[in-house]
Amino acid sequence: MKPSESTSRTRRNALKSLAAAGLLGVAGCLGDSGSTDQPTQTPGSTTNRQTTTGNRSTETDTSDGQQSEPSNVAQSTLVDDFENLSEWTVESGSLHADDSQTFTGSQSARLERTQGPVSISRPVDIDGSTTDLSLAFRMDSSGNAVPQVKLYAPDEANSLVVGEGIREESNRNWFRLDLGARRVNGLPNLEEVSRLEIRIRGGGPDTKFWIDDLRTTPSPDSGKAMIFFDDGLVSAYENAYPVLQEHEMSAASSIVTGEVGAENHMSIEQMEELQSNGWEMVSHTHSHVSLQGISRVEAEREIVNARQWLVDHGFETGARSIVYPYGGFTDATASFANQYHDLGFRYMDTLSSGSGRVTQNMTASRGDASNLERAKKMVDLGQLYSDLEMFTFHEVGGSSEGLQMSTGDFEEFVSYLDDSDLEVITPSTLWDRYQATAPMD
């Protein structure tokens, strides 16, 4: 959450930019009514606990697309292990110790809704100017949820809200949230964080949430950005590539290997040209089926066949990452995928994707960038608080539904990104440079 020291705009000017876009209230505060923070209902599905971490005990050969060893893994610091809940004050809902659901240690904290959001708070003494927050999270919910942590810096009038939107596809699955900036109130002094408030919105009236192992991780010196184009559609080559090339930026394209060269999809030659200019062709499985909706054997075949196709056709670097179709993954499939990939990316949050480092490599989140003003807000928050913003599109100037942006809006977005201090990176750089430890049982 450290503001960039080399930013070309002062922090106050960046806040004014947010206000001009209608993303700040008159008091310099994003109100709770903003639609980008609201959970969206989706069809339900169930996953199990994801047990991989960002650390590897041995270094492996990367010549065939297998995993590599990250060269720069930061150390996290425990804030609260929830073994003792006496310091927490219940603001709404209820709080219980639960030894039947744990991420690490002997118990977790279970939060239950009654009416409205559930909220707990406690005093802390944290320097948030040089650190980010990471939290283990699980939910049993009939809908999507938005877990948030408000940092009183030093009071509520001057506070930063970090968080992430969680889709129902992640139901009943433990994983870590690397909490990125979502909303700012006043002018918080993050060197003086005096209190934390954990607040979770969404889900049904009887929804249960579990939290565990709250940690800080060192903030990078500046914010980062990654750009994704899902499904390997030809508009990435025809419409997005020329714009990014003009600004000397690269991106990642999530390739459905069974659709390469098909109608509206890129050819191998187009993919090779993108790769020669810094793009990475990452796996999006072979057939673009949800890994939750098929057998384990079929899911493993989808993972292996896609990675092998990418390696066989010269896309070894991209083959190190996988984007789960429809965001669907299970404990078994994500753990299996981790044998073949360094990084796994789940479904898009509606806003920010996360803090500056990844603490759980196979469940990284991405942001929906199809709305221009929301994408600009992600840029502003990313550079203000050294966050990692992952901008996801399906098409640029295309005709498909969802995650689509017009060519004109995309040109404006890329120009806005270029004027910021965010460093545009690719998944392989994220793996190599921006991870942090987070122990798991």
Side-chain angles (χ1 to χ4, degrees):
M1 290 169 282
K2 175 183 177 182
S4 170
E5 295 177 357
S6 61
T7 180
S8 61
R9 293 182 294 176
T10 65
R11 185 176 184 281
R12 186 177 297 275
N13 284 341
L15 292 173
K16 289 179 179 178
S17 175
L18 288 172
L23 297 166
L24 287 177
V26 294
C29 161
L30 266 74
D32 287 337
S33 61
S35 62
T36 56
D37 262 354
Q38 295 295 333
T40 304
Q41 296 296 322
T42 57
S45 56
T46 302
T47 61
N48 299 315
R49 175 175 171 179
Q50 212 317 78
T51 58
T52 57
T53 70
N55 311 314
R56 299 190 187 279
S57 59
T58 60
E59 186 168 346
T60 53
D61 181 15
T62 61
S63 60
D64 65 348
Q66 291 280 1
Q67 309 99 311
S68 63
E69 182 76 6
S71 62
N72 181 19
V73 179
Q75 300 297 312
S76 63
T77 301
L78 182 67
V79 175
D80 199 315
D81 57 10
F82 297 93
E83 296 292 313
N84 181 356
L85 304 183
S86 62
E87 289 193 81
W88 291 93
T89 299
V90 178
E91 309 291 347
S92 60
S94 62
L95 171 65
H96 312 271
D98 192 336
D99 60 6
S100 67
Q101 295 289 344
T102 63
F103 185 82
T104 187
S106 64
Q107 69 178 37
S108 65
R110 186 178 77 247
L111 308 176
E112 298 184 12
R113 285 191 56 184
T114 50
Q115 293 182 346
V118 59
S119 175
I120 61 174
S121 66
R122 60 157 289 181
V124 294
D125 182 11
I126 293 176
D127 182 355
S129 67
T130 59
T131 59
D132 298 311
L133 287 177
S134 176
L135 176 70
F137 180 80
R138 183 184 187 271
M139 69 181 186
D140 187 353
S141 172
S142 58
N144 298 344
V146 182
Q148 299 177 334
V149 179
K150 181 181 288 186
L151 306 174
Y152 290 60
D155 50 35
E156 188 171 14
N158 297 282
S159 59
L160 175 68
V161 177
V162 298
E164 185 177 331
I166 306 300
R167 291 179 64 89
E168 191 177 9
E169 283 84 349
S170 301
N171 212 22
R172 304 190 183 103
N173 180 36
W174 273 111
F175 55 93
R176 298 202 68 87
L177 304 178
D178 298 314
L179 301 171
R182 299 183 76 90
R183 190 168 65 253
V184 58
N185 302 307
L187 291 173
N189 179 2
L190 294 176
E191 295 180 351
E192 299 180 4
V193 178
S194 62
R195 193 171 190 85
L196 292 180
E197 178 186 352
I198 298 177
R199 185 171 186 260
I200 308 174
R201 296 186 292 161
D206 298 320
T207 292
K208 297 177 182 178
F209 306 101
W210 290 262
I211 55 176
D212 203 351
D213 199 45
L214 177 64
R215 291 179 170 269
T216 60
T217 61
S219 299
D221 290 335
S222 61
K224 315 299 173 187
M226 280 201 293
I227 303 172
F228 285 86
F229 298 93
D230 280 2
D231 302 342
L233 301 178
V234 73
S235 70
Y237 176 83
E238 293 178 343
N239 300 330
Y241 170 48
V243 178
L244 292 172
Q245 187 77 345
E246 181 179 347
H247 292 268
E248 300 181 344
M249 295 180 186
S250 55
S253 182
S254 308
I255 302 298
V256 181
T257 56
E259 297 292 331
V260 174
E263 183 179 0
N264 203 33
H265 290 74
M266 289 190 291
S267 66
I268 292 178
E269 293 74 20
Q270 290 169 330
M271 293 164 57
E272 289 173 339
E273 181 179 343
L274 293 181
Q275 180 175 250
S276 69
N277 285 280
W279 287 48
E280 293 182 8
M281 304 296 114
V282 306
S283 174
H284 205 30
T285 72
H286 183 70
S287 305
H288 197 258
V289 295
S290 172
L291 299 180
Q292 289 180 318
I294 56 179
S295 71
R296 177 171 178 170
V297 171
E298 290 174 308
E300 291 177 355
R301 185 181 300 119
E302 285 285 330
I303 292 167
V304 171
N305 287 351
R307 188 197 70 88
Q308 194 60 51
W309 188 98
L310 290 170
V311 171
D312 289 345
H313 289 82
F315 303 107
E316 293 91 346
T317 301
R320 293 165 56 187
S321 301
I322 183 171
V323 172
Y324 305 118
Y326 309 105
F329 64 92
T330 66
D331 172 30
T333 55
S335 295
F336 181 82
N338 197 205
Q339 300 177 39
Y340 295 89
H341 301 286
D342 293 335
L343 293 168
F345 297 92
R346 53 190 171 88
Y347 200 85
M348 288 71 63
D349 183 10
T350 54
L351 182 60
S352 180
S353 53
S355 63
R357 297 186 188 274
V358 171
T359 57
Q360 196 168 354
N361 64 309
M362 295 307 293
T363 57
S365 178
R366 302 180 297 158
D368 173 2
S370 58
N371 177 277
L372 176 60
E373 296 309 318
R374 183 168 59 232
K376 286 182 176 181
K377 177 183 177 182
M378 291 168 65
V379 171
D380 285 328
L381 292 174
Q383 69 172 344
L384 283 172
Y385 297 108
S386 298
D387 282 348
L388 168 65
E389 304 292 341
M390 302 192 210
F391 302 92
T392 307
F393 306 89
H394 273 167
E395 286 200 86
V396 172
S399 58
S400 65
E401 296 182 1
L403 296 177
Q404 179 186 193
M405 180 176 277
S406 70
T407 302
D409 280 357
F410 185 73
E411 291 173 348
E412 185 173 344
F413 158 70
V414 173
S415 179
Y416 194 83
L417 177 61
D418 197 20
D419 287 340
S420 77
D421 284 340
L422 294 185
E423 177 190 0
V424 179
I425 64 173
T426 54
S428 62
T429 303
L430 171 64
W431 165 257
D432 189 55
R433 291 165 51 190
Y434 300 108
Q435 293 198 75
T437 60
M440 295 180 65
D441 282 351

